[in-house]
Structure formats: structure tokens, C-alpha cells
Amino acid sequence: MDLRGANVLVTGATGGIGRALARAIADRGGRLVLTGRRANVLEPLADRLGGRAIVADLADRASAERLLDDAGQVDVLVANAALPASGLLPDYSITEIDRVLDVNLRAPIVMAKLASARMADRGRGHLVFVSSLSGKSASGHASLYNATKFGMRGFALALREDLRPHGVGVSTVFPGFIRDAGMFADAGVTLPRGIGTRTPRDVARATVRAVERNIAEVDVAPLGLRLGARLGGVAPALSAAVQRRAGGPRITRALAQGQRDKR
């Protein structure tokens, strides 16, 4: 998929990773439609990049369909919006659970359904889901977040096969710990020595590469974390034991606390 001249809808554009995605796509010649909840951040960003801004809250179940109508023709959908959801399940109310499921899983699925049908009619297009390594390897104190990211991975892989005959690509991007912006950075967690990070720009570059080369999955993390995620897929019990020995519970508890403080 050539991004030059393509109409690209980016959700969650007001966050640090979303802003990096928008800049990288604009640099490749994409015509941007940016969406997020914070108009005071979204509209200046769209102005700077020569795009359009549509304020939307994807926790509102009617917003996904309305957003696709307002956006017009979409050649590339980058589903980046997500809510943090670390912590123990009893710490979440039913309303909070519904909100996380709606934003992290339901909204991308609904938007993919609507956008991909129109793409298939044209015989071209691409869907990108910005996920997390938490969609490949589960960890304690993150059951709700893991559920949304594991679900997104399965959905994307199956949808990729369904859309392949219609000329529509599907990619999933899996960031690890991202510094300077995003959920991990916002929670202010300090990682143990030796655990590497990547930047929002790295995520953006990986996303552009996935679209232009039609890559099914791209991990954005140092080698050690990528290998750990692979271990989590083939030997989850062993992965859990390794995480405990490496200080994983402390990281996830601190992440959950940082997110609670901001809720």
C-alpha cells in the first residue's frame, strides 16, 4: 500500500504515540484524518500536518460508525486508540470493564468491519492495529488489558486471511515498553536494569513499514523482550515463572498503581 496520496484515519491521535504516527504518515505523503477526545490537542496537530480533525470518544458505542461516515473514504485505518487497564480485575467496576472493552476491542472491530467493506469494493486498502506485546504474552496484574490485546491479535490474523483475496492488507504492531509517551511512560514506572525501551517514533516507523510492505505482525521492542513474548506464546507457565524471577510482578503492580492514580 502506497501512503502517498492515501486517505489515512488515525485513532488515538492525541497521545504521544498517536502524534508520532500522524507525523510519520504525513512525511510519507498520506492525507490525514485524526481523531481523539482532546480537541485542544487534536485540532492544532491536524492544522500543522495539513489534515482534518474529528473529535470522538470511542467509548460511545455510536461513535465508531459515525466516525467512519464523517471521515469519508478511508484507504488506511490505523486503530491506535486504547485505554490502560493494568491491575487486578476486582479493582475495576463493571462500567470500567465495559469502557475498556469498548475502546480497546469493540471499536477497532466495528471500524474494521465498516472500513474493510468499502476497501474490498475498491480492491485496495490497509488496516493497522496498534497492539502491545501484552497481546502475545500474559502477565499478572493485567488480565483485562491482556484480554483486549490477545483478542485483537486473533481478530487481526483471521481478518487478514479473509481480506487477502480482496486486495486489503491487515497488520498488527506490538510495542513493548515505550519511553517518553504512552501508557508505560505516563505511569512513571522505573524498569529494572537491562530491560530496554523503544520510542514513539520507532512505533511509527514500524507502522509505516507494515503498511507499505503488508507485514502481518511487527514487534517494536529489544530482542530480549521479543524473545520473552515468543516464550509466552509457546510456554506460558514457563514464561510466568521467568517473569516472576525477573521482577515482572513489581513492574506490573507499579504500572497498575500509576494508572489508578490517573483514573
Side-chain angles (χ1 to χ4, degrees):
M1 184 76 195
D2 190 348
L3 285 169
R4 288 175 298 179
N7 297 316
V8 184
L9 173 61
V10 180
T11 72
T14 55
I17 292 175
R19 293 195 297 271
L21 287 165
R23 286 192 292 268
I25 292 165
D27 288 344
R28 301 297 287 181
R31 294 196 294 261
L32 289 166
V33 179
L34 304 179
T35 184
R37 291 179 296 167
R38 294 180 293 163
N40 62 320
V41 177
L42 187 68
E43 291 168 356
L45 177 65
D47 288 342
R48 285 197 304 273
L49 298 177
R52 275 201 299 141
I54 301 176
V55 178
D57 182 356
L58 294 177
D60 174 2
R61 288 202 157 197
S63 65
E65 187 170 358
R66 189 164 56 241
L67 175 59
L68 264 294
D69 287 339
D70 292 344
Q73 178 176 311
V74 174
D75 300 309
V76 179
L77 168 64
V78 182
N80 169 66
L83 292 177
S86 296
L88 298 173
L89 191 60
D91 295 337
Y92 285 84
S93 68
I94 301 300
T95 298
E96 289 172 328
I97 290 171
D98 285 341
R99 184 175 176 84
V100 169
L101 292 174
D102 283 345
V103 174
N104 292 16
L105 193 57
R106 182 186 182 276
I109 290 174
V110 170
M111 288 190 294
K113 168 186 167 58
L114 298 172
S116 66
R118 300 166 191 174
M119 292 174 184
D121 287 342
R122 298 193 300 271
R124 64 188 297 272
H126 204 97
L127 306 172
V128 185
F129 303 99
V130 180
S131 182
S132 164
L133 284 184
S134 295
K136 290 187 172 184
S137 180
S139 56
H141 286 79
S143 58
L144 180 56
Y145 190 68
N146 283 142
T148 64
K149 296 306 181 181
F150 268 70
M152 182 52 60
R153 186 188 188 199
F155 171 73
L157 286 171
L159 187 64
R160 177 180 172 87
E161 187 61 21
D162 292 343
L163 293 176
R164 182 183 55 80
H166 302 286
V168 179
V170 180
S171 302
T172 311
V173 178
F174 297 90
F177 294 112
I178 303 300
R179 62 181 181 271
D180 303 329
M183 298 176 188
F184 164 71
D186 290 345
V189 177
T190 301
L191 292 174
R193 185 175 300 175
I195 297 182
T197 61
R198 291 291 184 261
T199 68
R201 189 177 177 187
D202 292 328
V203 178
R205 283 197 296 254
T207 301
V208 167
R209 187 169 74 253
V211 173
E212 294 183 337
R213 302 182 186 180
N214 192 21
I215 303 171
E217 296 189 339
V218 182
D219 294 344
V220 188
L223 177 61
L225 287 178
R226 298 200 308 269
L227 292 176
R230 184 168 299 184
L231 178 65
V234 299
L238 176 59
S239 174
V242 170
Q243 288 185 53
R244 287 194 296 271
R245 291 180 63 87
R250 183 187 67 79
I251 296 171
T252 52
R253 284 196 297 268
L255 186 58
Q257 183 62 55
Q259 292 173 1
R260 276 198 301 271
D261 291 344
K262 292 180 179 297
R263 285 200 340 235

